[in-house]
Amino acid sequence: MYRQEHYFRNRPESQKLMKVIILSPSAIDQNNSHDANALLNHTSIFLDNDIDVVWGVNRSSNLAKPSVVAHRIFDYSIYDDFKYGRINLKKRIRYFFYYQKLISKTVDALSDLFSKESIRSTDHVFLPTADWLMLRALYKLHKQTPLECWPSLHVELMFDKANWMTGGYPY
């Protein structure tokens, strides 16, 4: 099987090909959660292959990793709806304006992050956990951004018999 890792290894810092921005508003602390495990494990793999990694995480996050810039910018977690009892359709409709404001705040936070990190079309945005609020915010930001400046988007979706990277859960 052909392996491409040689393509990234042993490059001078100035010749790094890309940067990966991992967006994980639910990776808050190392409590054996799927989100923290996915963030840390994917980060290790990218760093091992000489790929720059930048995090966009929750404001409350205490996760850190050497050589990774962590932008603590998100005001929500995907678990908030369960935590605050907003899981049925009736309650989601009642919170319509709350979600619209939260999406707008997320768009602003992403825009600032992309600007600070000088994101280009050669870079990649990775969502280790599919999140409808983040996908909606990225869509809105995409509509405001010239196509030649937009990075590649990668979203990890659920699948059966997950490996160690997703924490061992059947995603």
Side-chain angles (χ1 to χ4, degrees), residues 23-40:
L23 302 175
S24 188
S26 302
I28 296 174
D29 58 23
Q30 185 60 298
N31 60 358
N32 293 325
S33 74
H34 161 74
D35 299 284
N37 288 337
L39 177 69
L40 294 170

Side-chain angles (χ1 to χ4, degrees), residues 10 32 82 171:
N10 303 322
N32 293 325
F82 296 104
Y171 287 96

Side-chain angles (χ1 to χ4, degrees), residues 33-97:
S33 74
H34 161 74
D35 299 284
N37 288 337
L39 177 69
L40 294 170
N41 291 332
H42 282 95
T43 298
S44 294
I45 288 170
F46 292 133
L47 291 175
D48 286 349
N49 286 290
D50 286 335
I51 298 172
D52 285 334
V53 177
V54 174
W55 289 350
V57 293
N58 195 291
R59 290 186 194 279
S60 301
S61 178
N62 62 13
L63 296 172
K65 193 154 182 93
S67 75
V68 174
V69 177
H71 295 271
R72 289 166 173 74
I73 56 175
F74 300 119
D75 292 322
Y76 75 95
S77 160
I78 61 171
Y79 306 111
D80 289 350
D81 287 345
F82 296 104
K83 186 176 174 181
Y84 299 116
R86 298 185 298 245
I87 55 175
N88 65 31
L89 183 60
K90 198 181 232 182
K91 287 192 178 182
R92 285 191 182 221
I93 291 170
R94 188 179 311 148
Y95 285 95
F96 174 80
F97 294 110

Side-chain angles (χ1 to χ4, degrees), residues 95-108:
Y95 285 95
F96 174 80
F97 294 110
Y98 164 77
Y99 288 122
Q100 294 307 310
K101 184 178 179 183
L102 186 57
I103 290 168
S104 292
K105 286 174 69 176
T106 304
V107 168
D108 292 342

Side-chain angles (χ1 to χ4, degrees), residues 21 23 107 110-111 114 118-127 134-154:
I21 299 85
L23 302 175
V107 168
L110 289 170
S111 181
F114 284 20
S118 302
I119 301 306
R120 307 180 305 269
S121 61
T122 57
D123 296 324
H124 298 261
V125 172
F126 176 54
L127 291 141
M134 183 67 67
L135 290 171
R136 182 71 179 147
L138 285 167
Y139 173 75
K140 284 185 159 203
L141 183 60
H142 180 266
K143 286 175 48 175
Q144 304 168 7
T145 308
L147 191 56
E148 63 272 3
C149 300
W150 190 252
S152 297
L153 176 64
H154 306 269

